[in-house]
Amino acid sequence: MNICVFCASSLTIDKKYIELAANVGTELAKRGHTLVSGGGSVSCMGAVTAAARAAGGHTVGVIPQVLVDMEVADEESDELIVTEDMRERKGIMDARSDAFLVLPGGIGTLEELFEIWTARVLGIHDRPLVLLDPWGLYGPLKKLVEGMYDEGFTRPDVFDAISWASTVDEAFAALESRAQPVRPSVAELGEATG
């Protein structure tokens, strides 16, 4: 499964967030998944990709040229796709992903979360979306969305469209349990019957 991980690129965060990202990268690779990331080599983004590769995983980084110019791109990525802008970046990340895992992050991470979450609520996709929040950073966000629901601004399925996890194991269990079964290719079907 190709799992897109949205996470921080900030250099001013507590190291526990970077360690969490590294743990996610290691676990993702151990479970045989491919990482799709924002293509940066710093902070959580760098930690998740480096750990995934160190554990034998395949990594796909997608980064706009403006961020290549501002920060160091993950040149070690198995595939590094440089885009013209952020919109193209998100489109490629979306198209390359079977599931989405959101780690603690800033407004960029929130923007990515909301785009995927909204599309899921609208029925544009049915891919798993999991928010991993061991320390409660997103607690106020959850309360905000609950308040929006109470006031009639959101649909009831807003809560069904996302899973909240507090451990890495819970996050991957939620991703894998909601993932669509892999369909065999026509060639594989022919081999099985021939």
Side-chain angles (χ1 to χ4, degrees), residues 28-39:
L28 183 145
K30 283 183 179 178
R31 290 174 179 250
H33 303 304
T34 292
L35 171 68
V36 178
S37 79

Side-chain angles (χ1 to χ4, degrees), residues 125-146:
H125 73 85
D126 63 354
R127 291 169 285 171
L129 170 60
V130 177
L131 196 152
L132 176 55
D133 189 22
W135 301 285
L137 178 72
Y138 291 119
L141 171 62
K142 193 173 189 181
K143 287 193 180 297
L144 174 64
V145 175
E146 289 168 353

